[in-house]
Amino acid sequence: MEQLFDAQFMADFLGSSLRLSVPIIFAAIGGVLAERSGVFNISLEGCILGGAFGAAVGTYLTGSPFCGLMLGITVAGSVGIMLAMLAVGLGINQLVAGIAINLLMVGLTSYLARLILGGDATSTLPGFHPIALPGLASIPIIGPVLFQQDILTYLMYLVVPASWWFLYRTPWGLNVRAIGDYPVAADSAGISVPFVRTVCVIVSCMLAGVGGAYLVLSQVFVFTEHMSAGKGFIALAALILGRWNPVGAFLACIFFGMSDALQLRLQFTSPDVPYQLFSMVPFLASLLALVLLSGKVRPPAAIGKKYVRGGK
Amino acid sequence: MLDIIRYVYMLRPVWAVLAALFVGAGLIAVSGVNPLTAYSELFSGAFLDYYGLAGTLVKTSPILLAGLAVILPLRAGLLNIGVEGQIYMGGLFSTFAALLLPPMPAMIHLPICILFGALGGGLWGLIPGYLKALHGLNEVIVTILLNFIAINIVSFVVGGPMMQEGAPYPYSDEIGEQLFLPIVLPGTDAHIGFLVGLVLAVAMYFLLRFTTTGFALDTIGSNPQAARYAGIPVRRYVMLSMFAAGAIGGLAGALEILGLKHRLYHLFSPGYGFDGIVVAFMAQLNPLFAPVAAFFLSGLKAGALVMQRAVGLESTVIEAILGLVIIFVAASLAFTYNRTFWKLLLERRRQVEADLGASMGEK
């Protein structure tokens, strides 16, 4: 047990917690944005997968991880366009549309990955490497954990406060929140509900796509079939636990990342402790949070409902 | 004429499936394989070959039951994404009953195993039903979370307390041979599960069509406030329909274990619960169409491997085509039949023709 208090152990543990959190943070921030505008984005899972697939293909074809990142964001953005067309344009049930997209993305990325990446699926791709921020990286323990990271992690440090600032401190953010809570009022004020929702859904998917690209370009350097493995759903759980607030969602993701890191460590160090019980922690915590906070915390009022002008 | 248009609208899912297969043909062609060859291998492998048909029927059992588990609560406006978790809990409970109960005659033991499975799934389905009815929590979010919890519980049980000694990966002991479900097609794996699904589908049709329970569910689905005002106990029906749906999902899991797997595996369901959502929408929430949709969907899945062997096409393409099917079917449901619109259109057309005829006559 004294190993737990070892500084090196703590640094390793925090580092892996952060690495495991980054993809779900991007997805959860994206999810907050879409849900604040009143659209359930169940397809976060598919967007992560699309982002990972695009990143792998782009990097494989050009050799540059930046091109890969761009292609990953593009693929995820197209998923967003598809969701917006189905859920906002045609007005079909947002959850059904999202589930359909997830199924499509699992099949499509597996199939196309075998076609494009072929037998090379095992050879690793070039990715992003850690850049130490001068000064900050030399702080003991926390320094290397937080400030010796790759470019996508630094991007995450920017995205979290930026999304909070956008939602709560800008007129656009106010519009988004108004549309999610009471679209009739927003519409009377002259804001186009379908337009704002479409933009939010697309940006939301692009953010999740960055999370997917992180998996490929900063973590494992290969694309594997269905590598998102439920991360989109964990992100959904995180944004609920974070009460539809970007900062709250960020903290929830860090908590989930820690329980995931603990679970992985237990699998290796103490096989007699059932690791599945720790894999369950994020889901149990979210469920408990939902039950205990129900009544006090509520999702955006108009979430999941299609907006019809003049409707009730 | 209006009737014809109405029928065309009623067949929307069929057009949507055809459109999806057409787009899927494009995906197949990307591999350099003739889509027609691929599709004919797929469908003959899934439906025309004795063993292929058996493979299709084996998959029809869980997919049809999962479809019914989605349809029932959806009539009351509840989207049950949690069938996957209910399948796992059903499998777990029926394995408990099969392995842990004291020895008894199979005539009694087998029904107990099935009932345990239904009970396990039902209780798992009751959780989101209860939280929805009494706390107003969104059933979709709760069931997604519960799916992961159920899958992890099964992994824990078969990886720890119930793991067979010396097993290379997590699975339980085999259940007794007297508990295997009867086989329908001799020499294959096709067990009676799909017949159970068929009977349930017909029963559910009559329940929804001809009883006050069915009427109450539909009323809650279209307007919960009106339902409450009319004196329908909305909360009780919400919990009841989720319990029943969970029990059907649990049944799917139990039959999968008793009929096919014969032991509890870690990750034993490859997403049948989600296929159930596809079935529900293809069947337009009508239990009588669910067997057709489930049979077709299972055929696609079972035929995929035949197709892969025959023409060397990656079977993952079928997953993509299935995704297209559900997207097209879901999108097609947005186009509802609007009688006044079509009537107006037809009248206007008749008017134009009459005007044209009149002006032709003048010349």
PDB file of all heavy atoms in Angstrom, chain A residues 84-106:
ATOM      1  N   ALA A  84     -27.903  16.685 -38.216  1.00  0.00           N
ATOM      2  CA  ALA A  84     -28.701  17.906 -38.290  1.00  0.00           C
ATOM      3  C   ALA A  84     -29.794  17.759 -39.343  1.00  0.00           C
ATOM      4  O   ALA A  84     -30.934  18.176 -39.138  1.00  0.00           O
ATOM      5  CB  ALA A  84     -27.800  19.094 -38.609  1.00  0.00           C
ATOM      6  N   MET A  85     -29.437  17.148 -40.483  1.00  0.00           N
ATOM      7  CA  MET A  85     -30.440  16.970 -41.532  1.00  0.00           C
ATOM      8  C   MET A  85     -31.589  16.102 -41.027  1.00  0.00           C
ATOM      9  O   MET A  85     -32.761  16.416 -41.241  1.00  0.00           O
ATOM     10  CB  MET A  85     -29.798  16.325 -42.768  1.00  0.00           C
ATOM     11  CG  MET A  85     -29.251  17.344 -43.737  1.00  0.00           C
ATOM     12  SD  MET A  85     -28.173  16.665 -45.010  1.00  0.00           S
ATOM     13  CE  MET A  85     -28.886  15.127 -45.398  1.00  0.00           C
ATOM     14  N   LEU A  86     -31.241  15.005 -40.353  1.00  0.00           N
ATOM     15  CA  LEU A  86     -32.279  14.074 -39.888  1.00  0.00           C
ATOM     16  C   LEU A  86     -33.083  14.664 -38.738  1.00  0.00           C
ATOM     17  O   LEU A  86     -34.304  14.651 -38.751  1.00  0.00           O
ATOM     18  CB  LEU A  86     -31.643  12.755 -39.448  1.00  0.00           C
ATOM     19  CG  LEU A  86     -31.058  11.882 -40.539  1.00  0.00           C
ATOM     20  CD1 LEU A  86     -30.256  10.749 -39.930  1.00  0.00           C
ATOM     21  CD2 LEU A  86     -32.150  11.325 -41.429  1.00  0.00           C
ATOM     22  N   ALA A  87     -32.366  15.183 -37.726  1.00  0.00           N
ATOM     23  CA  ALA A  87     -33.042  15.538 -36.484  1.00  0.00           C
ATOM     24  C   ALA A  87     -33.619  16.948 -36.534  1.00  0.00           C
ATOM     25  O   ALA A  87     -34.700  17.192 -36.015  1.00  0.00           O
ATOM     26  CB  ALA A  87     -32.080  15.401 -35.304  1.00  0.00           C
ATOM     27  N   VAL A  88     -32.872  17.887 -37.150  1.00  0.00           N
ATOM     28  CA  VAL A  88     -33.373  19.265 -37.182  1.00  0.00           C
ATOM     29  C   VAL A  88     -34.184  19.492 -38.455  1.00  0.00           C
ATOM     30  O   VAL A  88     -35.280  20.032 -38.425  1.00  0.00           O
ATOM     31  CB  VAL A  88     -32.201  20.271 -37.088  1.00  0.00           C
ATOM     32  CG1 VAL A  88     -32.731  21.691 -37.084  1.00  0.00           C
ATOM     33  CG2 VAL A  88     -31.381  20.000 -35.851  1.00  0.00           C
ATOM     34  N   GLY A  89     -33.645  19.045 -39.591  1.00  0.00           N
ATOM     35  CA  GLY A  89     -34.314  19.284 -40.865  1.00  0.00           C
ATOM     36  C   GLY A  89     -35.600  18.471 -40.999  1.00  0.00           C
ATOM     37  O   GLY A  89     -36.690  19.023 -41.120  1.00  0.00           O
ATOM     38  N   LEU A  90     -35.453  17.137 -40.955  1.00  0.00           N
ATOM     39  CA  LEU A  90     -36.633  16.283 -41.142  1.00  0.00           C
ATOM     40  C   LEU A  90     -37.446  16.167 -39.866  1.00  0.00           C
ATOM     41  O   LEU A  90     -38.605  15.770 -39.897  1.00  0.00           O
ATOM     42  CB  LEU A  90     -36.204  14.888 -41.592  1.00  0.00           C
ATOM     43  CG  LEU A  90     -35.785  14.747 -43.052  1.00  0.00           C
ATOM     44  CD1 LEU A  90     -35.270  13.342 -43.318  1.00  0.00           C
ATOM     45  CD2 LEU A  90     -36.954  15.046 -43.973  1.00  0.00           C
ATOM     46  N   GLY A  91     -36.829  16.485 -38.733  1.00  0.00           N
ATOM     47  CA  GLY A  91     -37.563  16.444 -37.481  1.00  0.00           C
ATOM     48  C   GLY A  91     -37.887  15.043 -36.998  1.00  0.00           C
ATOM     49  O   GLY A  91     -38.835  14.847 -36.249  1.00  0.00           O
ATOM     50  N   ILE A  92     -37.099  14.022 -37.411  1.00  0.00           N
ATOM     51  CA  ILE A  92     -37.354  12.695 -36.863  1.00  0.00           C
ATOM     52  C   ILE A  92     -36.743  12.632 -35.466  1.00  0.00           C
ATOM     53  O   ILE A  92     -35.895  13.454 -35.126  1.00  0.00           O
ATOM     54  CB  ILE A  92     -36.812  11.558 -37.745  1.00  0.00           C
ATOM     55  CG1 ILE A  92     -35.300  11.566 -37.789  1.00  0.00           C
ATOM     56  CG2 ILE A  92     -37.394  11.632 -39.135  1.00  0.00           C
ATOM     57  CD1 ILE A  92     -34.743  10.402 -38.531  1.00  0.00           C
ATOM     58  N   ASN A  93     -37.197  11.679 -34.678  1.00  0.00           N
ATOM     59  CA  ASN A  93     -36.748  11.549 -33.295  1.00  0.00           C
ATOM     60  C   ASN A  93     -35.219  11.621 -33.205  1.00  0.00           C
ATOM     61  O   ASN A  93     -34.506  10.852 -33.837  1.00  0.00           O
ATOM     62  CB  ASN A  93     -37.268  10.211 -32.767  1.00  0.00           C
ATOM     63  CG  ASN A  93     -37.000  10.052 -31.302  1.00  0.00           C
ATOM     64  OD1 ASN A  93     -35.887  10.309 -30.839  1.00  0.00           O
ATOM     65  ND2 ASN A  93     -38.012   9.647 -30.561  1.00  0.00           N
ATOM     66  N   GLN A  94     -34.732  12.582 -32.400  1.00  0.00           N
ATOM     67  CA  GLN A  94     -33.289  12.823 -32.320  1.00  0.00           C
ATOM     68  C   GLN A  94     -32.516  11.607 -31.838  1.00  0.00           C
ATOM     69  O   GLN A  94     -31.400  11.352 -32.274  1.00  0.00           O
ATOM     70  CB  GLN A  94     -33.026  13.985 -31.363  1.00  0.00           C
ATOM     71  CG  GLN A  94     -33.621  15.280 -31.837  1.00  0.00           C
ATOM     72  CD  GLN A  94     -33.593  16.350 -30.771  1.00  0.00           C
ATOM     73  OE1 GLN A  94     -33.191  16.108 -29.647  1.00  0.00           O
ATOM     74  NE2 GLN A  94     -34.010  17.544 -31.134  1.00  0.00           N
ATOM     75  N   LEU A  95     -33.135  10.844 -30.932  1.00  0.00           N
ATOM     76  CA  LEU A  95     -32.436   9.681 -30.383  1.00  0.00           C
ATOM     77  C   LEU A  95     -32.333   8.588 -31.424  1.00  0.00           C
ATOM     78  O   LEU A  95     -31.298   7.946 -31.574  1.00  0.00           O
ATOM     79  CB  LEU A  95     -33.178   9.180 -29.151  1.00  0.00           C
ATOM     80  CG  LEU A  95     -33.299  10.251 -28.083  1.00  0.00           C
ATOM     81  CD1 LEU A  95     -34.402   9.937 -27.120  1.00  0.00           C
ATOM     82  CD2 LEU A  95     -31.977  10.378 -27.368  1.00  0.00           C
ATOM     83  N   VAL A  96     -33.422   8.400 -32.165  1.00  0.00           N
ATOM     84  CA  VAL A  96     -33.399   7.377 -33.208  1.00  0.00           C
ATOM     85  C   VAL A  96     -32.363   7.743 -34.264  1.00  0.00           C
ATOM     86  O   VAL A  96     -31.568   6.902 -34.705  1.00  0.00           O
ATOM     87  CB  VAL A  96     -34.796   7.235 -33.828  1.00  0.00           C
ATOM     88  CG1 VAL A  96     -34.753   6.287 -35.000  1.00  0.00           C
ATOM     89  CG2 VAL A  96     -35.786   6.758 -32.805  1.00  0.00           C
ATOM     90  N   ALA A  97     -32.343   9.023 -34.648  1.00  0.00           N
ATOM     91  CA  ALA A  97     -31.367   9.460 -35.641  1.00  0.00           C
ATOM     92  C   ALA A  97     -29.956   9.192 -35.134  1.00  0.00           C
ATOM     93  O   ALA A  97     -29.100   8.685 -35.868  1.00  0.00           O
ATOM     94  CB  ALA A  97     -31.561  10.949 -35.937  1.00  0.00           C
ATOM     95  N   GLY A  98     -29.713   9.528 -33.867  1.00  0.00           N
ATOM     96  CA  GLY A  98     -28.377   9.341 -33.306  1.00  0.00           C
ATOM     97  C   GLY A  98     -27.975   7.876 -33.265  1.00  0.00           C
ATOM     98  O   GLY A  98     -26.851   7.523 -33.614  1.00  0.00           O
ATOM     99  N   ILE A  99     -28.902   7.015 -32.871  1.00  0.00           N
ATOM    100  CA  ILE A  99     -28.588   5.585 -32.806  1.00  0.00           C
ATOM    101  C   ILE A  99     -28.304   5.051 -34.195  1.00  0.00           C
ATOM    102  O   ILE A  99     -27.362   4.280 -34.414  1.00  0.00           O
ATOM    103  CB  ILE A  99     -29.756   4.823 -32.149  1.00  0.00           C
ATOM    104  CG1 ILE A  99     -29.847   5.195 -30.683  1.00  0.00           C
ATOM    105  CG2 ILE A  99     -29.580   3.331 -32.291  1.00  0.00           C
ATOM    106  CD1 ILE A  99     -31.170   4.886 -30.069  1.00  0.00           C
ATOM    107  N   ALA A 100     -29.116   5.487 -35.163  1.00  0.00           N
ATOM    108  CA  ALA A 100     -28.916   5.041 -36.542  1.00  0.00           C
ATOM    109  C   ALA A 100     -27.522   5.438 -37.014  1.00  0.00           C
ATOM    110  O   ALA A 100     -26.796   4.636 -37.621  1.00  0.00           O
ATOM    111  CB  ALA A 100     -29.975   5.661 -37.442  1.00  0.00           C
ATOM    112  N   ILE A 101     -27.134   6.678 -36.696  1.00  0.00           N
ATOM    113  CA  ILE A 101     -25.820   7.156 -37.132  1.00  0.00           C
ATOM    114  C   ILE A 101     -24.704   6.359 -36.469  1.00  0.00           C
ATOM    115  O   ILE A 101     -23.715   5.997 -37.113  1.00  0.00           O
ATOM    116  CB  ILE A 101     -25.701   8.668 -36.846  1.00  0.00           C
ATOM    117  CG1 ILE A 101     -26.564   9.426 -37.842  1.00  0.00           C
ATOM    118  CG2 ILE A 101     -24.255   9.127 -36.918  1.00  0.00           C
ATOM    119  CD1 ILE A 101     -26.664  10.888 -37.590  1.00  0.00           C
ATOM    120  N   ASN A 102     -24.881   6.044 -35.186  1.00  0.00           N
ATOM    121  CA  ASN A 102     -23.854   5.242 -34.512  1.00  0.00           C
ATOM    122  C   ASN A 102     -23.667   3.891 -35.187  1.00  0.00           C
ATOM    123  O   ASN A 102     -22.541   3.452 -35.418  1.00  0.00           O
ATOM    124  CB  ASN A 102     -24.233   5.014 -33.050  1.00  0.00           C
ATOM    125  CG  ASN A 102     -24.022   6.254 -32.217  1.00  0.00           C
ATOM    126  OD1 ASN A 102     -23.282   7.145 -32.613  1.00  0.00           O
ATOM    127  ND2 ASN A 102     -24.669   6.313 -31.079  1.00  0.00           N
ATOM    128  N   LEU A 103     -24.798   3.222 -35.510  1.00  0.00           N
ATOM    129  CA  LEU A 103     -24.704   1.912 -36.158  1.00  0.00           C
ATOM    130  C   LEU A 103     -24.005   2.056 -37.507  1.00  0.00           C
ATOM    131  O   LEU A 103     -23.144   1.256 -37.872  1.00  0.00           O
ATOM    132  CB  LEU A 103     -26.102   1.312 -36.365  1.00  0.00           C
ATOM    133  CG  LEU A 103     -26.843   0.871 -35.113  1.00  0.00           C
ATOM    134  CD1 LEU A 103     -28.231   0.385 -35.454  1.00  0.00           C
ATOM    135  CD2 LEU A 103     -26.073  -0.232 -34.415  1.00  0.00           C
ATOM    136  N   LEU A 104     -24.401   3.095 -38.245  1.00  0.00           N
ATOM    137  CA  LEU A 104     -23.800   3.307 -39.565  1.00  0.00           C
ATOM    138  C   LEU A 104     -22.301   3.524 -39.448  1.00  0.00           C
ATOM    139  O   LEU A 104     -21.512   2.946 -40.210  1.00  0.00           O
ATOM    140  CB  LEU A 104     -24.454   4.523 -40.241  1.00  0.00           C
ATOM    141  CG  LEU A 104     -23.847   4.915 -41.579  1.00  0.00           C
ATOM    142  CD1 LEU A 104     -24.176   3.862 -42.626  1.00  0.00           C
ATOM    143  CD2 LEU A 104     -24.363   6.268 -42.045  1.00  0.00           C
ATOM    144  N   MET A 105     -21.893   4.345 -38.474  1.00  0.00           N
ATOM    145  CA  MET A 105     -20.465   4.686 -38.368  1.00  0.00           C
ATOM    146  C   MET A 105     -19.631   3.467 -37.973  1.00  0.00           C
ATOM    147  O   MET A 105     -18.519   3.297 -38.463  1.00  0.00           O
ATOM    148  CB  MET A 105     -20.253   5.820 -37.354  1.00  0.00           C
ATOM    149  CG  MET A 105     -20.733   7.170 -37.821  1.00  0.00           C
ATOM    150  SD  MET A 105     -20.174   7.605 -39.472  1.00  0.00           S
ATOM    151  CE  MET A 105     -18.463   7.968 -39.178  1.00  0.00           C
ATOM    152  N   VAL A 106     -20.165   2.611 -37.102  1.00  0.00           N
ATOM    153  CA  VAL A 106     -19.413   1.403 -36.728  1.00  0.00           C
ATOM    154  C   VAL A 106     -19.139   0.570 -37.974  1.00  0.00           C
ATOM    155  O   VAL A 106     -18.003   0.163 -38.244  1.00  0.00           O
ATOM    156  CB  VAL A 106     -20.192   0.563 -35.692  1.00  0.00           C
ATOM    157  CG1 VAL A 106     -19.514  -0.777 -35.490  1.00  0.00           C
ATOM    158  CG2 VAL A 106     -20.283   1.294 -34.373  1.00  0.00           C
TER     159      VAL A 106
END
